[in-house]
Amino acid sequence: MAILVDEEKRIFTLHTEHTTYQMKADRYGVLLHLYYGARVPGSMEYLAVQRDRGFSGNIYDAGEDRTYSLDTLPQEYPGSGTGDFRSSALVVRNADGSECCDLRYAGYEIAKGKYGLQGLPAVYASGKEAETLKITLEDRVTKVRVQLLYGVLAAEDMITRSAVITNGGSGQVVVEKAGSACLDLVSGDYDFITFHGRHMMERNFQRTEILHANQVIGSRRGASSSQYNPAVIVAEKNAGEDFGNCYGMVFVYSGNFMCEAEKDQVGNTRVLMGLQNELFHYPLEAGESLTVPETILTFSSRGFGELSRRYHRCIREHIFRGKYKTCSKPILLNSWEAFYMEFTGDKICQLAEEAAELGIDMVVLDDGWFGNRFDDNRALGDWTVNEEKLGCTLGELIQRINGLGVKFGIWIEPEMVNEDSGLYRAHPDWALQIPGRKPVRSRNQLVLDFSRKEVRDHIFDQICAVLDQGNVEYVKWDMNRSLVDLYSAETPAGKIAYDYVLGVYEFAERLLQRYPDILLEGCSGGGGRFDAGMLYYSTQIWCSDNTDPVDRLRIQYGTSFFYPISSMGSHVSAVPNHQTGRVTSLKTRGVAAMSGTFGYELNPAVLSGEEKELVREQIREYRKYEHLIRRGDYYRLTDPFADAYAAWEFVSEDGSEALANVVLQETHANKAVYYLKLKGLKPDALYREEESGRTYYGGALMEAGIPLPDMGEYQACQLHFRLCPV
Ligand code: GLA
């Protein structure tokens, strides 16, 4: 049993293989958080110390006991207006205008398997793999109820949390803030590790001390964003890649979010993950509910590496769905950096001919194939094939491509509309904009009101009419701007940000139901909506519009802290690189792209015969290593933000095979020899390095390392090790 309940003491204990999570409904019915950390037996009640803190308030039930204050006690889901002056998990404006929500224990349930969430992505698991605990809290005056949901995946060392807020009273209430998970840690000094960025430079690692200040990251952009990723690590001061205690919090959501970290007046640390409270005022009529997206929590006593490998496994096994959860993926050639919008059907067929010759499986027709889309100022919303531009129907084009033995994929951006489009002219109110104001344009486009079903239905039908024209085996779903003018003809303004995301999920789910074998790749100006929510629908997401392999080392490093390598859309592109102007070898571009989905984004016609041979070789290599990249354990060997060498490694689950990847980011004359230390090998087993044929003990490779060859700037190498037969 992963969930233990001491009925008498009202203590709830969640055990995973290596961790324990414990809480208690105390004598006043307040749900206290007692402990989360390495697995321990017994009651941890003694940790919730009560002291008289002078001017901290005391709940009325405590009578004259001045030591009982919610201002300092660790709580599981702190409401507001209760005398806890730290950040709240839940803020509700009641029917009478007051903002108090005093949540007290009202019961629990245990169920086999993992709970699901209505309309939202969530970790899924069978009755053998998971158990669910539901704890109900209630404000006894307003009858606002919160059902806290806990999913325990014992073997994965994962605990998921979510909350369903219900208006059990008779008047309307407005949810002003809704957290998904609160982590109150009573002792210790922690760092807050977050991943910030911008378009083309996503998910940079940042580590700051959690101080006596509320440190907040989040998004108000409508999507999870390039600027802050909805996933954080809370680490003890001495925790690093391979050692030390750390907690992970991954929000399974693709819209506005907020994560706060604060050390309170007496040294407790509170970390809250949940929905962004700006642009959010969610009305609930009597009987209505709001489901807060879930957070996947883990605790690792062996540093960030172990934490990442757990998230990778959890997402691969319990978030990914459909054929490509396990199936090998096609290597694709995308037309974007090859032609941008300057193409004809013949040019796309030439790409397919080149692809066939090189051993590439699929050609993807990116932006520019529909309506009047000759540049990025027009035609979004008009999802009809421009047959004049293609010189044929889409069906004919796909047949020609398939005839070459090459699969076909296509780009769409269903959530968007240009003012210069038939759709906008017919339905201007379908775009988010505030009456009487001019909307904010971005890439000269507006956002469709995906909170409205009729808008989604219309776009869905148009997209299906395109996909039904031929054998489409891949769809790249793009989203190239943020949401600004939150006003809808139908949806109350305070609901739009959330309902929009539900609309996106509903659309994605419908697409998957109708085309279960299509490989879906998410995208948002590159990696602007790279989150565990989207990974529930698309097993891969374009990691960044920056295809420079050297910049990609950092982008992919940051992404690797939570998301599986197989989910990172990554392509070999042309040189000089279109984003940075940098020139790197095909080898280096291949090594970087192999730490992802692996594909191409260039016109092979401009490659020399020698380069084409290298591409063929690269594809053979990728296929050879694919099982390691997709299913192997991933180890970060260096920090590309700090070290000259970027190095990472894949190890097969049984430890019999490993692939180390290295790129030199910065060179100097007369360099010292660099000894690369491997990880995850069997110390007493002998491994053979394939290229040199030399053998080494796993222990030697891990403890002393292996000298790297003398490499020049931006050069790359791969070292492939196999266990020697005994
Ligand atoms: C975004 C995507 C690119 C490409 C263009 C097309 O920027 O990230 O990969 O699809 O849109 O307009």
Side-chain angles (χ1 to χ4, degrees), residues 299-350:
F299 166 81
S300 158
S301 57
R302 288 189 283 145
F304 315 142
E306 175 63 20
L307 177 141
S308 299
R309 286 185 288 282
R310 282 196 204 149
Y311 277 118
H312 294 178
R313 262 196 308 275
C314 178
I315 291 173
R316 285 197 314 244
E317 301 299 330
H318 303 284
I319 293 262
F320 283 176
R321 297 177 301 160
K323 177 174 161 185
Y324 289 101
K325 175 177 176 172
T326 46
C327 204
S328 159
K329 288 177 177 175
I331 295 174
L332 63 85
L333 169 58
N334 181 296
S335 68
W336 184 243
E337 288 194 21
F339 302 137
Y340 295 98
M341 292 190 200
E342 306 287 310
F343 57 79
T344 60
D346 285 344
K347 280 174 91 171
I348 299 299
C349 282
Q350 280 156 22

Side-chain angles (χ1 to χ4, degrees), residues 43 85 118 281 343 410 425 435 445 718:
S43 161
F85 297 97
Q118 184 68 35
H281 312 276
F343 57 79
I410 200 163
R425 281 184 282 271
Q445 62 196 54
Q718 284 176 309

Side-chain angles (χ1 to χ4, degrees), residues 199 334 336-337 340-341 366-368 373 376 411 413 443 476 478-480 523-527 542 544-545 601:
H199 178 226
N334 181 296
W336 184 243
E337 288 194 21
Y340 295 98
M341 292 190 200
D366 209 284
D367 195 356
R373 185 80 166 167
D376 63 7
W411 176 98
E413 195 177 357
R443 210 190 188 198
K476 176 175 170 188
D478 212 338
M479 192 265 190
N480 284 325
C523 180
S524 177
W542 185 228
S544 178
D545 272 349
E601 182 124 356

Side-chain angles (χ1 to χ4, degrees), residues 271-298:
V271 186
L272 276 167
M273 178 69 93
L275 293 170
Q276 168 65 248
N277 64 342
E278 281 186 42
L279 305 166
F280 177 83
H281 312 276
Y282 210 90
L284 294 179
E285 302 302 332
E288 283 185 348
S289 297
L290 167 74
T291 304
V292 190
E294 80 178 6
T295 301
I296 314 175
L297 297 164
T298 197

Side-chain angles (χ1 to χ4, degrees), residues 52-177:
D52 181 352
R53 295 289 176 191
F55 289 91
S56 285
N58 316 111
I59 56 171
Y60 207 78
D61 334 26
E64 291 183 357
D65 180 4
R66 294 191 188 184
T67 70
Y68 190 95
S69 176
L70 295 186
D71 202 11
T72 53
L73 280 168
Q75 292 171 75
E76 202 47 34
Y77 199 73
S80 58
T82 58
D84 180 348
F85 297 97
R86 297 166 291 185
S87 231
S88 315
L90 181 66
V91 178
V92 176
R93 186 150 40 83
N94 300 310
D96 65 3
S98 65
E99 278 200 7
C100 180
C101 189
D102 184 2
L103 296 169
R104 303 294 177 97
Y105 178 74
Y108 81 95
E109 266 173 67
I110 291 179
K112 272 217 150 314
K114 161 77 177 46
Y115 64 84
L117 298 176
Q118 184 68 35
L120 284 164
V123 161
Y124 64 90
S126 70
K128 281 196 189 128
E129 295 165 326
E131 279 179 60
T132 292
L133 171 67
K134 299 177 183 179
I135 298 185
T136 304
L137 306 177
E138 187 182 50
D139 182 299
R140 293 168 185 163
V141 175
T142 61
K143 305 292 177 210
V144 167
R145 271 198 310 277
V146 178
Q147 188 173 55
L148 297 179
L149 300 169
Y150 297 83
V152 186
L153 284 80
E156 307 283 359
D157 280 316
M158 290 290 174
I159 292 176
T160 66
R161 286 193 58 177
S162 172
V164 181
I165 301 153
T166 302
N167 178 4
S170 50
Q172 187 202 63
V173 302
V174 180
V175 182
E176 300 285 357
K177 183 181 183 190

